[in-house]
């Protein structure tokens, strides 16, 4: 029964739409997705591979230290041999080509909401990078097989049932912001508290709570104007773009600094869209 | 009514406002470094106001605030003393402050240099460049060595 419930549910070939890859959009999604923050190179060869997601830098989590893998197109140690479907299954289901479940420290329960076209653009962008040979390093708490399958059980509860759906009552810009925040931006992974099952507590979406890496608390993104955290949406835009440089002091600790750097690289219209969505959360 | 404790906490700021530029030693290292950092944050707020166009650029205001910031920083950095890892009062300094002294020293030196660069600026273009460097210096240290508050 356990086996049946938690058996991997890979997507089939019909999940891949006809699509002309857009490298610029892939770079944008890679940036707001924060892929490089976790898949950054092993500090030992960081200067040689600077800016490339060759993986191997330690990622501390409550279950131990993980080493996110190499995302460059090296055929042996990277994703060079992965098909489009392999890649989509990794981001939308947390499944490796061999069918193993990824540990959800990789925020695929958010990426699962992404448009498949955007995921394919990330893959195209990654395939355009310089391949780096960097062997996968074993995690510091190698989970036994049965526990990996336990992740699959968790998946049945934690994986969203559908892609992000736009709200026709709202503006195009609000919908763009909602998509970036909930899908690629995976802001909920830190800003939404978790249930006893470690899944995101959607009834308290983006309401803040204990830091998932056990590092103090994460503030709420609701009522940012009402609580006088920011004067208006424009003020929030400048906070996300400039952070501490403009004297905003709550955008650097607990992993937010790297997120703010990524936000600062987005086109201004996207930052405005994110602000429009966030200030609508009461 | 204002509680005595909160008067004490605002004293360094009041001192700066009064043009004394001096800082006061408070109860203990945690209070002292937090008061120092608050003074740094206050000066940063003045710079931010100019950068956002809420206040006019004024070289004298920049210099006064850079001096206050330098004093606040020195007070804060002098108070990451061994034994003050845990409060009360609640501290947001991460244990890495004490386990990685070399990294902390580098972050402090970068920040002190950035304030000195700011203090030496004489025009608005120089101010803006210096501010970008200063913001990175705060962010660099808070990213690694400070826990979030809420």
């Amino acid at each position: 029964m356990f086996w049946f419930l938690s058996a991997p549910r890979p997507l089939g070939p019909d999940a891949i739409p006809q699509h002309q890859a857009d490298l610029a959009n892939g770079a944008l999604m890679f940036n707001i997705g924060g892929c490089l923050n976790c898949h950054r190179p092993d500090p030992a060869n960081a200067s040689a591979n600077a800016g490339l997601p060759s993986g191997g830098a330690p990622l501390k989590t409550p279950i131990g230290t993980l080493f996110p893998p190499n995302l460059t197109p090296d055929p042996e140690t990277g994703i060079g041999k992965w098909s489009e479907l392999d890649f989509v299954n990794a981001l939308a289901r947390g499944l490796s080509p061999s069918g193993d479940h990824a540990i959800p420290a990789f925020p695929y329960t958010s990426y699962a909401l992404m448009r498949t076209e955007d995921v394919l653009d990330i893959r195209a962008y990654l395939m355009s990078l310089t391949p780096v040979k960097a062997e996968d390093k074993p995690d510091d708490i190698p989970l036994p097989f049965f526990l990996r399958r336990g992740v699959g059980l968790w998946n049945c509860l934690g994986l969203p049932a559908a892609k992000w759906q736009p709200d026709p009552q709202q503006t195009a810009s609000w919908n763009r912001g909602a998509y970036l925040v909930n899908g690629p931006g995976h802001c909920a992974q830190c800003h939404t508290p978790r249930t006893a099952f470690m899944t995101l507590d959607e009834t308290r979406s983006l309401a803040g709570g204990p830091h998932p890496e056990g590092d103090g608390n994460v503030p709420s993104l609701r009522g940012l104007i009402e609580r006088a955290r920011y004067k208006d949406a424009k003020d929030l835009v400048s906070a996300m773009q400039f952070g501490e440089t403009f004297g905003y002091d709550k955008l650097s600790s607990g992993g937010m600094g790297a997120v703010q750097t990524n936000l600062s690289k987005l086109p201004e219209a996207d930052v405005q869209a994110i602000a429009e969505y966030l200030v609508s959360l009461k | 009514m204002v509680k005595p404790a909160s008067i004490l906490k605002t004293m360094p700021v009041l001192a700066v406002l009064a043009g004394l530029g001096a800082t006061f030693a408070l109860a203990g290292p945690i209070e002292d470094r937090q008061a120092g950092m608050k003074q740094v944050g206050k000066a940063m707020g003045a710079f931010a106001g100019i950068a956002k166009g809420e206040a006019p650029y004024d070289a004298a205001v920049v210099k006064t605030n850079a001096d206050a910031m330098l004093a606040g920083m020195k007070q804060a950095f002098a108070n990451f003393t061994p034994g003050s890892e845990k409060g009360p009062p609640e501290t947001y300094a991460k244990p890495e402050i004490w386990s990685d002294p070399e990294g902390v020293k580098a972050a402090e030196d970068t920040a002190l240099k950035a304030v000195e660069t700011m203090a030496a600026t004489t025009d608005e273009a120089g101010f803006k460049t210096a501010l970008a460097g200063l913001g990175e210096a705060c962010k660099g240290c808070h990213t690694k060595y400070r826990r979030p508050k809420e």
Side-chain angles (χ1 to χ4, degrees):
Chain A
M1 187 57 195
F2 185 60
W3 180 273
F4 170 74
L5 255 182
S6 61
R9 298 171 301 157
L11 298 165
D14 53 344
I16 306 296
Q18 273 298 337
H19 179 59
Q20 183 64 44
D22 176 344
L23 285 184
N25 183 51
L28 189 154
M29 290 293 155
F30 175 81
N31 170 49
I32 184 68
C35 317
L36 188 59
N37 299 143
C38 292
H39 291 266
R40 65 186 187 284
D42 184 337
N45 37 26
S47 47
N49 303 335
L52 291 172
S54 56
L59 177 72
K60 292 212 182 77
T61 77
I63 54 165
T65 302
L66 308 179
F67 297 93
N70 183 358
L71 297 182
T72 71
D74 181 62
E76 267 76 52
T77 63
I79 60 159
K81 283 192 191 141
W82 291 33
S83 68
E84 290 186 334
L85 183 59
D86 289 339
F87 191 77
V88 169
N89 265 314
L91 261 77
R93 287 287 179 274
L95 288 171
S96 74
S98 58
D100 278 341
H101 282 288
I103 299 163
F106 167 34
Y108 57 86
T109 56
S110 293
Y111 299 150
L113 292 168
M114 289 176 71
R115 292 166 60 236
T116 306
E117 289 82 353
D118 287 337
V119 174
L120 291 173
D121 287 346
I122 295 185
R123 175 179 178 271
Y125 170 73
L126 291 173
M127 291 306 229
S128 77
L129 299 176
T130 312
V132 174
K133 202 168 265 334
E135 295 291 343
D136 199 4
K137 291 203 267 178
D139 297 332
D140 225 352
I141 24 82
L143 284 184
F145 173 69
F146 75 90
L147 243 180
R148 284 248 171 190
R149 196 154 279 278
V151 172
L153 183 65
W154 183 96
N155 254 339
C156 296
L157 304 165
L159 261 186
K163 299 270 157 198
W164 182 256
Q165 296 299 326
D167 178 348
Q169 307 289 335
Q170 301 282 358
T171 64
S173 159
W174 184 96
N175 275 304
R176 171 76 174 167
Y179 174 70
L180 291 173
V181 164
N182 292 286
H186 67 279
C187 316
Q189 298 288 336
C190 292
H191 284 280
T192 297
R194 290 179 189 268
T195 67
F197 301 106
M198 281 305 285
T199 61
L200 298 174
D201 182 352
E202 297 302 344
T203 62
R204 289 183 292 156
S205 168
L206 299 175
H211 198 288
E213 285 150 36
D215 204 12
N217 288 300
V218 185
S220 170
L221 297 182
R222 296 186 159 268
L224 287 174
I225 307 299
E226 292 75 5
R227 288 184 289 122
R229 287 293 309 144
Y230 301 92
K231 270 200 306 264
D232 49 26
K234 203 166 148 258
D235 192 25
L236 178 57
V237 168
S238 107
M240 291 191 286
Q241 284 181 319
F242 298 103
E244 294 227 24
T245 298
F246 275 17
Y248 298 97
D249 75 335
K250 289 187 68 182
L251 288 149
S252 49
S253 304
M256 189 58 206
V259 176
Q260 189 263 318
T261 303
N262 294 340
L263 287 166
S264 75
K265 292 184 199 150
L266 282 180
E268 181 145 27
D270 281 343
V271 187
Q272 283 165 346
I274 290 175
E276 181 180 341
Y277 170 67
L278 290 181
V279 304
S280 78
L281 304 171
K282 303 297 169 197
Chain B
M1 209 192 75
V2 185
K3 284 190 242 106
S6 67
I7 293 179
L8 268 182
K9 285 211 181 103
T10 53
M11 270 179 76
V13 171
L14 291 176
V16 172
L17 288 181
L20 299 173
T23 52
F24 288 77
L26 301 175
I30 297 180
E31 287 93 337
D32 285 356
R33 67 181 178 240
Q34 289 180 345
M37 270 295 152
K38 280 204 179 86
Q39 179 169 317
V40 171
K42 174 127 183 137
M44 197 65 185
F47 295 150
I50 297 172
K52 287 192 271 185
E54 291 163 6
Y57 171 77
D58 179 334
V61 171
V62 170
K63 179 81 174 83
T64 310
N65 279 288
D67 290 346
M69 182 179 270
L70 192 61
M73 251 185 208
K74 285 184 173 159
Q75 169 168 327
F77 298 167
N79 279 289
F80 293 126
T81 28
S84 67
E85 293 88 341
K86 283 213 168 72
E90 176 94 59
T91 171
Y92 302 92
K94 289 177 72 171
E96 282 82 350
I97 288 261
W98 291 273
S99 64
D100 178 22
E102 273 170 38
V104 175
K105 177 81 172 54
E108 290 176 355
D109 288 349
T110 305
L112 292 168
K113 201 169 281 162
V115 187
E116 278 157 13
T117 304
M118 176 58 88
T121 59
T122 49
D123 60 17
E124 194 164 0
F127 162 77
K128 285 195 171 147
T129 312
L131 186 58
L134 196 53
E136 282 306 310
C138 319
K139 180 172 170 176
C141 187
H142 293 159
T143 297
K144 283 167 89 172
Y145 302 110
R146 188 185 72 171
R147 290 190 286 125
K149 248 187 183 167
E150 270 176 58

